[in-house]
């Protein structure tokens, strides 16, 4: 503005001087001729600031079109700043025009960022909604799977029981070696049947028919103990049937509890607690969750390490009162030692403990194998599971 | 005449308040941007630098008595600071979006796995049902 004003002022002075010299000097005529040109030059606008052109370019960009639609207020603010910059330029203030142009560019940038922010927020809302939908779907699938898994397990157990109960062709006479193997097998099956029936009895002592079943297994066991090698054929079929009947009893005892609390994580937690203690070799079996202790006795008394383990087991049993304990001793003085350990577990606070000795009827490795004795002699503490 | 003087005075005060406000707001926004997460900080380096430069220029201009241009520069500083603030928010939202999209993708994989497991268990159950039927149908005395 200032240069143009100055020029205009200068231009206005000239006619005054020319008017004073109308006497007719030669340069006066030239001055009269130059005056309009000077006036035009003075009125010509100052060069357009580059930053204003940049603002124009930004306003015409594709991003600007999006901002006009999606961030109209911010875009209009930028447009008004550009108009102010234009006005400052027109008014001949290039410094103000440049600052306002730059501000317009900043305002356009702001509008573009607002579009970016809006789009990000929209996508975020959609992604969160999808996440929620997928979480719900996954939870439903998990639920379906738990129910299905329960069905499958129940059916498989039913199948196992049914298969065991299918009458087999009676075994014919065999040579003495095979007969000896049959006798060992029958004793093992009866020992297993006893543990299954005792487990069922611990969970529901009043179950109809269970008492008779237990009695019949005991009778079978006694007859097998009395049997000597080379006598009449070993009753393997009867032992197998007894085991199947006891497993069936246990399954039925558990059915009510399983139906009431189908996805109970109690057994998993118990297994975790036993694993966390370490040195207990925990595993699942038909009877429940079993912990194994080795080298428990030194002479007639349990070792200090075994007592520590028993105390830990009693503590876990106390925390899981739905799982009664069944102590099973696998060695020569099994019954007596099993009772001793059961008493100690009770003294340590285990709520309910039963004891059974099975001698050498359930070996882990065949007799005669190197190191068999150290592997087979053991104490098993079964947390009898109330759930299938 | 008196009312005109009051109007002029009032608008002058208002203008001054607005411009002082823009400097204060710009400084406030720049201060807040200092605690932005590193990713957002690197994205806003340029607008923050421009805002600071405009504030410095405005200070010089005020000292030189050029209040009009100082006010314009303060406005410019505010504009860049506001753009940087919005950019910080946009960067944060985009980072959040990326995380949620990753979670969605992971859930989608888990869902596919759960469906496969469901199918497998369905087959297991159906197999058991079939075998039980077979067992029921088998003549007594013979194991299937």
């Amino acid at each position: 503005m200032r240069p143009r004003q100055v020029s205009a002022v200068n231009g206005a002075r000239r006619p005054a001087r020319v008017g004073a010299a109308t006497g007719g000097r030669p340069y006066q005529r030239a001055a009269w001729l130059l005056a309009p040109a000077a006036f035009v030059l003075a009125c010509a606008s100052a060069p357009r600031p580059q930053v204003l052109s940049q603002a124009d370019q930004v306003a015409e960009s594709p991003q600007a079109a999006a901002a006009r639609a999606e961030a109209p207020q911010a875009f209009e603010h930028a447009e008004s700043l550009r108009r102010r910059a234009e006005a400052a330029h027109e008014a001949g203030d290039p410094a103000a025009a440049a600052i306002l142009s730059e501000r317009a560019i900043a305002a356009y940038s702001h509008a573009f960022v607002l579009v970016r922010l809006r789009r990000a927020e929209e996508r975020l809302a959609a992604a969160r909604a999808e996440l929620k939908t997928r979480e719900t779907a996954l939870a439903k699938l998990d639920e379906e799977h738990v129910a299905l898994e329960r069905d499958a397990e129940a059916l498989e157990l039913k199948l196992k029981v049914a298969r065991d109960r299918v009458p087999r062709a009676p075994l014919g006479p065999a040579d003495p070696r095979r007969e000896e193997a049959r006798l060992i097998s029958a004793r093992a099956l009866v020992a297993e049947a006893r543990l299954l029936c005792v487990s069922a009895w611990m969970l529901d002592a009043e179950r109809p028919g269970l008492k008779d079943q237990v009695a019949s297994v005991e009778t079978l066991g006694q007859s097998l103990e009395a049997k000597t090698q080379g006598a009449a054929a070993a009753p393997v079929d009867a032992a197998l049937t007894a085991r199947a009947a006891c497993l069936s009893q246990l399954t039925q005892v558990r059915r009510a509890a399983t139906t009431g609390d189908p996805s109970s994580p109690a057994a998993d937690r118990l297994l975790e607690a036993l694993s966390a203690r370490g040195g207990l070799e925990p595993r699942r079996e038909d009877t429940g969750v079993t912990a194994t202790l080795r080298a428990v006795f030194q002479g007639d008394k349990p070792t200090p390490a075994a007592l520590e383990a028993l105390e830990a087991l009693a503590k876990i049993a106390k925390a899981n009162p739905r799982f009664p304990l069944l102590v099973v001793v696998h060695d020569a003085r099994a019954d007596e030692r099993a009772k001793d350990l059961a008493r100690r577990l009770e003294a340590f606070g285990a709520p309910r403990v039963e004891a059974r000795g099975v001698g050498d009827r359930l070996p882990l490795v065949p007799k005669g194998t190197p190191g068999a004795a150290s592997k087979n002699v053991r104490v098993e503490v079964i947390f009898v599971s109330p759930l299938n | 005449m008196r009312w005109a003087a009051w109007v002029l005075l009032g608008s002058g005060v208002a203008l001054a308040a607005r411009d002082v406000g823009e400097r204060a707001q710009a400084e406030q926004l720049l201060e807040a941007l200092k605690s932005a997460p590193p990713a957002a900080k690197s994205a806003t380096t340029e607008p923050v630098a421009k805002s600071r430069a405009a504030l410095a220029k405005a200070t010089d201009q005020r000292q030189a008595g050029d209040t009009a241009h100082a006010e314009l520069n303060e406005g410019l500083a505010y504009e860049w600071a506001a753009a940087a603030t919005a950019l910080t928010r946009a960067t944060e939202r985009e980072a959040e979006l990326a995380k949620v999209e990753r979670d969605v993708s992971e859930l989608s994989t888990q869902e596919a796995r759960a469906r496969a497991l469901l199918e497998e268990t369905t087959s297991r159950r159906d197999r058991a049902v079939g075998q039980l039927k077979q067992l029921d149908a088998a003549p007594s005395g013979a194991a299937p």
Side-chain angles (χ1 to χ4, degrees):
Chain A
M1 193 72 188
R2 210 162 287 147
R4 197 170 51 185
Q5 280 170 340
V6 170
S7 304
V9 169
N10 290 343
R13 275 187 203 140
R14 275 173 197 152
R17 271 191 250 138
V18 169
T22 41
R25 285 180 209 158
Y27 66 85
Q28 283 178 341
R29 188 175 172 80
W32 273 108
L33 286 170
L34 284 170
F39 183 75
V40 166
L41 275 172
C43 289
S45 57
R48 191 174 174 78
Q50 202 184 348
V51 66
L52 184 52
S53 303
Q54 280 173 5
D56 292 342
Q57 280 171 7
V58 174
E60 296 303 319
S61 67
Q63 271 182 307
R68 189 193 295 274
E70 293 178 50
Q73 275 186 319
F75 186 79
E76 182 43 42
H77 172 60
E79 288 280 85
S80 81
L81 285 167
R82 193 162 62 99
R83 283 195 294 271
R84 277 176 66 193
E86 194 69 52
H89 169 61
E90 290 296 328
D93 185 351
I99 297 168
L100 285 165
S101 299
E102 203 192 328
R103 185 169 177 179
I105 291 172
Y108 282 122
S109 301
H110 191 182
F112 300 163
V113 172
L114 288 179
V115 171
R116 197 172 138 187
L117 177 64
R118 190 187 152 181
R119 288 179 182 174
E121 276 174 348
E122 277 173 4
R123 283 179 62 197
L124 185 62
R128 279 186 179 146
E130 196 187 342
L131 188 70
K132 204 169 182 184
T133 310
R134 285 194 184 277
E135 276 171 352
T136 312
L138 190 63
K140 205 176 161 195
L141 276 174
D142 281 346
E143 210 172 289
E144 267 179 60
H145 183 249
V146 167
L148 201 61
E149 178 85 24
R150 201 171 59 238
D151 270 10
E153 277 176 4
L155 283 165
E156 280 165 354
L157 194 64
K158 201 172 163 189
L159 185 65
K160 191 178 171 189
V161 171
R163 272 183 178 154
D164 282 352
R165 299 196 79 168
V166 169
R168 288 159 199 272
L171 295 170
D175 60 69
R177 238 177 112 184
R178 180 168 284 192
E179 201 54 51
E180 187 192 346
R182 281 179 184 173
L183 187 61
I184 291 168
S185 172
R187 282 177 178 161
L189 285 166
V190 170
E192 282 181 6
R194 273 177 79 203
L195 297 181
L196 289 165
C197 269
V198 169
S199 299
W201 174 77
M202 288 178 83
L203 295 174
D204 182 5
E206 304 302 317
R207 182 174 168 71
L210 183 56
K211 229 173 191 174
D212 295 341
Q213 185 65 49
V214 172
S216 107
V217 170
E218 290 299 333
T219 312
L220 184 60
Q222 282 161 13
S223 77
L224 277 171
E225 293 310 317
K227 202 172 271 299
T228 51
Q229 202 183 322
V236 177
D237 298 329
L240 204 61
T241 307
R243 190 192 183 281
C246 285
L247 180 61
S248 177
Q249 288 280 1
L250 182 58
T251 308
Q252 285 167 37
V253 165
R254 286 169 173 167
R255 193 159 292 161
T258 308
T259 311
D261 189 5
S263 53
S264 169
D268 295 330
R269 286 194 189 138
L270 186 60
L271 207 55
E272 271 175 38
L274 292 171
S275 302
R277 164 61 174 74
L280 297 173
E281 305 173 32
R283 66 187 187 280
R284 284 177 196 269
E285 288 187 333
D286 284 339
T287 41
V289 180
T290 303
T292 304
L293 307 178
R294 296 181 187 280
V296 174
F297 288 95
Q298 199 169 29
D300 287 341
K301 288 183 180 174
T303 62
L307 286 174
E308 253 179 57
L310 287 176
E311 192 174 358
L313 287 168
K315 203 173 165 189
I316 295 171
K318 207 172 172 184
N320 294 275
R322 287 176 73 197
F323 293 76
L325 294 186
L326 174 57
V327 181
V328 183
V329 175
H330 302 256
D331 79 5
R333 292 160 61 194
D335 287 329
E336 176 196 332
R337 286 181 165 177
K339 279 175 191 159
D340 176 29
L341 294 178
R343 271 196 302 274
R344 288 176 190 274
L345 279 165
E346 276 173 339
F348 283 131
R352 188 175 170 204
V353 191
E354 280 294 324
R356 290 292 182 276
V358 292
D360 60 352
R361 291 177 209 97
L362 291 172
L364 291 175
V365 292
K367 282 179 199 169
T369 313
S374 66
K375 283 176 188 157
N376 291 335
V377 173
R378 66 198 186 278
V379 171
E380 287 175 338
V381 178
I382 302 170
F383 288 77
V384 177
S385 177
L387 301 161
N388 277 325
Chain B
M1 280 301 278
R2 263 178 78 182
W3 66 266
W6 277 113
V7 166
L8 274 174
L9 183 67
S11 55
V13 168
L15 271 172
R18 192 200 68 195
D19 294 332
V20 167
E22 278 185 331
R23 169 178 271 277
Q25 282 178 47
E27 283 170 343
Q28 212 174 341
L29 290 175
L30 289 173
E31 191 58 36
L33 283 166
K34 281 182 187 168
S35 55
K41 255 186 193 170
S42 69
T44 56
T45 309
E46 196 187 329
V48 165
K50 283 180 173 173
S51 178
R52 290 194 193 287
L55 277 179
K57 216 178 224 177
T59 306
D60 291 347
Q61 283 166 335
R62 274 196 191 279
Q63 281 170 357
D66 186 0
T67 316
H69 288 128
E71 284 168 0
L72 288 177
N73 266 314
E74 282 161 357
L76 174 62
Y78 166 70
E79 210 69 56
W80 279 123
T85 304
L87 193 55
T88 301
R89 278 174 59 204
T91 311
E92 281 171 357
R93 285 290 177 286
E94 283 164 355
E96 210 175 331
L97 173 66
K99 190 196 167 296
V100 175
E101 280 177 343
R102 268 199 310 276
D103 289 351
V104 167
S105 160
E106 200 176 304
L107 270 188
S108 168
T109 311
Q110 280 180 27
E111 203 180 314
R113 210 179 297 144
R115 282 190 195 286
L117 201 63
L118 199 68
E119 275 177 30
E120 195 185 306
T121 313
T122 307
S123 314
R124 216 177 101 197
R125 187 197 58 182
D126 293 349
R127 210 165 35 241
V129 169
Q131 285 170 346
L132 270 169
K133 273 185 188 164
Q134 215 180 331
L135 205 64
D136 287 344
S140 63

